[in-house]
């Protein structure tokens, strides 16, 4: 991990989980640091993944899981015919706009998690062939799953970025720090 997650206040499990989620979001944001929209749409590796598409995907996934937990209908409905669009910046979509959207989702996630009475509280999973029938998950599981999902794609983003211009996660951490301090 190229950054250190600061320790939570003693006993603040929510804060610790949210901090690790934010650290993984940071890896995704750094992967697009300094890129143009055209660069973020490129697919320089063996996969069809682009950096802009990965950022869009993790933003939509976080929003979708938050909506599941709140028992709301998905804001961005996806099915087999449109699933691939969640991995692509479409005409009119920009990296900056996607990051702004995701920042709003992240703020909503934090507000919601801090408002639930307990991380042991559960929510029902929607009917789907890949979910067990009548399954419920805890808010703790939700946060762990978001960390897992974001971390997986942050790793993809590291590979795509390095394939694009040779910059590694450590170089991008230094560039981000320099820009913040300078």
């Amino acid at each position: 991990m190229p950054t250190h997650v600061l320790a939570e206040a003693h006993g603040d499990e929510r804060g610790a989980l949210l901090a690790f989620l934010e650290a993984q979001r940071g890896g995704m944001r750094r992967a697009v640091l300094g890129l143009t929209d055209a660069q973020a749409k490129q697919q320089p590796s063996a996969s069809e993944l682009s950096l802009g598409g990965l950022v869009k995907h993790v933003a939509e996934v976080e929003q979708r899981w938050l909506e599941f937990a709140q028992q709301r209908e998905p804001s961005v409905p996806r099915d087999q015919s449109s699933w691939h669009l969640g991995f692509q910046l479409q005409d009119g979509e920009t990296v900056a706009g996607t990051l702004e959207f995701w920042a709003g989702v992240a703020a909503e996630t934090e507000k919601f998690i801090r408002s639930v009475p307990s991380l042991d509280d559960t929510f029902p999973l929607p009917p789907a062939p890949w979910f067990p029938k009548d399954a419920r998950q805890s808010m703790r599981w939700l946060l762990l799953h978001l960390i897992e999902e974001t971390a997986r794609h942050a790793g993809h983003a590291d590979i795509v970025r390095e394939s694009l211009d040779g910059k590694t996660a450590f170089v991008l951490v230094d560039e981000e720090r320099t820009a913040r301090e300078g």
Side-chain angles (χ1 to χ4, degrees):
M1 172 186 287
T3 61
H4 178 74
V5 178
L6 297 176
E8 76 282 5
H10 182 70
D12 180 13
E13 182 182 12
R14 291 172 211 241
L17 293 169
L18 288 165
F20 274 89
L21 177 56
E22 181 54 31
Q24 296 308 315
R25 289 186 194 121
M28 291 294 300
R29 288 190 304 267
R30 280 187 296 280
V32 296
L33 186 67
L35 296 181
T36 65
D37 290 332
Q39 289 171 309
K41 289 180 179 181
Q42 289 181 17
Q43 300 167 333
S45 66
S47 79
E48 294 182 10
L49 297 175
S50 70
L51 291 169
L54 282 166
V55 171
K56 180 179 175 178
H57 173 70
V58 294
E60 282 190 8
V61 165
E62 183 170 338
Q63 180 184 46
R64 181 170 295 235
W65 277 104
L66 182 61
E67 290 166 342
F68 286 161
Q70 296 171 333
Q71 299 179 50
R72 296 186 297 151
E73 290 297 314
S75 299
V76 181
R78 295 276 183 220
D79 60 23
Q80 284 185 324
S81 69
S82 65
W83 187 251
H84 68 285
L85 298 177
F87 283 93
Q88 300 169 358
L89 291 181
Q90 300 299 298
D91 289 340
E93 292 180 331
T94 64
V95 171
T98 303
L99 289 171
E100 185 178 328
F101 164 73
W102 193 18
V105 171
E108 189 178 344
T109 299
E110 177 150 356
K111 181 179 175 185
F112 174 71
I113 289 299
R114 295 230 181 248
S115 74
V116 295
S118 170
L119 291 179
D120 293 328
D121 289 354
T122 64
F123 60 94
L125 293 181
W130 47 86
F131 294 142
K133 184 175 173 25
D134 301 323
R136 296 185 70 83
Q137 296 298 330
S138 71
M139 299 303 165
R140 180 179 296 99
W141 182 94
L142 168 69
L143 282 169
L144 290 168
H145 181 66
L146 289 174
I147 293 166
E148 171 194 41
E149 177 81 14
T150 308
R152 173 174 296 153
H153 292 308
H156 294 144
D158 287 344
I159 292 167
V160 173
R161 180 62 188 254
E162 191 170 355
S163 297
L164 182 67
D165 65 5
K167 290 188 178 179
T168 65
F170 290 102
V171 169
L172 293 167
V173 166
D174 287 341
E175 286 185 13
E176 179 187 49
R177 183 179 301 117
T178 299
R180 187 176 51 242
E181 294 170 357

